[in-house]
Every structure is written in C-alpha cells, then in structure tokens.
Amino acid sequence: MGKFLVKEVNTGRRFNLVAGNGEVIGVSEVYASRSGLRNGIASVRKNAPIAPVEDQTVEEVEKVKNPKFEMYIDKAGEFRFRLKARNGEIILASEGYAQKAGCKNGIESVRKNAVDSPVVKAE
C-alpha cells in the first residue's frame, strides 16, 4: 500500500504520493495551511480514480473535461502527467519518465494508491 507523505517546507507544506515500493509517483503544490493540504489530499483521493487521460503527446489530442490526467512531453523530452481537479487546478504532478509506458504506469499507480493510502508525516 502507498502513502501520502506530508513534508514541511520553507513556505508551507506539501505531500508526495508514494507507492508501496517507496517510489514517489506524484508531488503536490505547496500549501500555506493545513486545511489546504487536507483538501488537496481529499481532491486527489476523489478525482484520481475517475479521471480520464488526455494524451497530449499525440498529434490529434482528444480533449476531455476535468477532472483529468494530462499526459505531456516536457522540455527535456520526458513524459509527465498532471492530475487536474474539476476546477482545473493541478493537484498532483509527476516526475519525468523516459518512456510513455512508464508514464501510463504512473497514472495507474496514482489511481490505485490514492484512495486508501494513509497520510504520514515525514520524519
């Protein structure tokens, strides 16, 4: 089972969604308040299982409504995804993947780990 790992940073707090194997599969924005952080985690839990994928790596992109995963290629040529909430805000972003298949696996891992994973504070 994965976990939401909460970390304190200079400007507030953020969370990483970590898979059962210890790999970070998604990173949140920085939240100024604890309530904002809790709402962000709740939004990932609610939206990840139902969000379709908008594949922006293909020539003819089929647009889908929020909530959604957007899969794209970054400036370094790596595949990434971001999870957007119903209001269009990015609530989780991935690290870069060398292969598109790895990025797709990352999305599936977020779907699997988002729902029941506990919230744990980083040591």
Side-chain angles (χ1 to χ4, degrees):
M1 179 188 330
K3 61 186 171 190
F4 287 93
L5 185 63
V6 176
K7 294 182 172 191
E8 298 290 328
V9 294
N10 291 341
T11 55
R13 57 207 48 83
R14 71 176 336 148
F15 63 85
N16 293 341
L17 180 56
V18 180
N21 64 3
E23 293 289 318
V24 174
I25 49 178
V27 179
S28 76
E29 66 178 324
V30 175
Y31 295 92
S33 69
R34 283 181 175 32
S35 64
L37 178 89
R38 283 192 298 270
N39 290 342
I41 291 170
S43 187
V44 171
R45 285 182 167 154
K46 176 182 176 184
N47 291 301
I50 62 167
V53 177
E54 182 177 286
D55 186 351
Q56 298 175 352
T57 69
V58 296
E59 201 167 300
E60 292 191 28
V61 178
E62 185 179 325
K63 297 286 185 184
V64 296
K65 290 183 178 180
N66 293 325
K68 66 182 171 184
F69 285 96
E70 291 179 338
M71 187 169 36
Y72 64 100
I73 299 173
D74 68 14
K75 292 177 183 166
E78 293 187 313
F79 293 88
R80 293 182 179 263
F81 65 82
R82 55 189 159 232
L83 175 59
K84 288 190 168 183
R86 198 167 301 281
N87 64 4
E89 296 253 340
I90 298 170
I91 51 176
L92 196 71
S94 75
E95 297 177 349
Y97 294 88
Q99 304 293 323
K100 187 173 185 175
C103 189
K104 287 180 176 180
N105 288 341
I107 291 169
E108 290 309 310
S109 186
V110 169
R111 287 186 171 136
K112 183 176 111 182
N113 287 285
V115 179
D116 294 325
S117 293
V119 178
V120 178
K121 188 168 182 173
E123 296 178 16

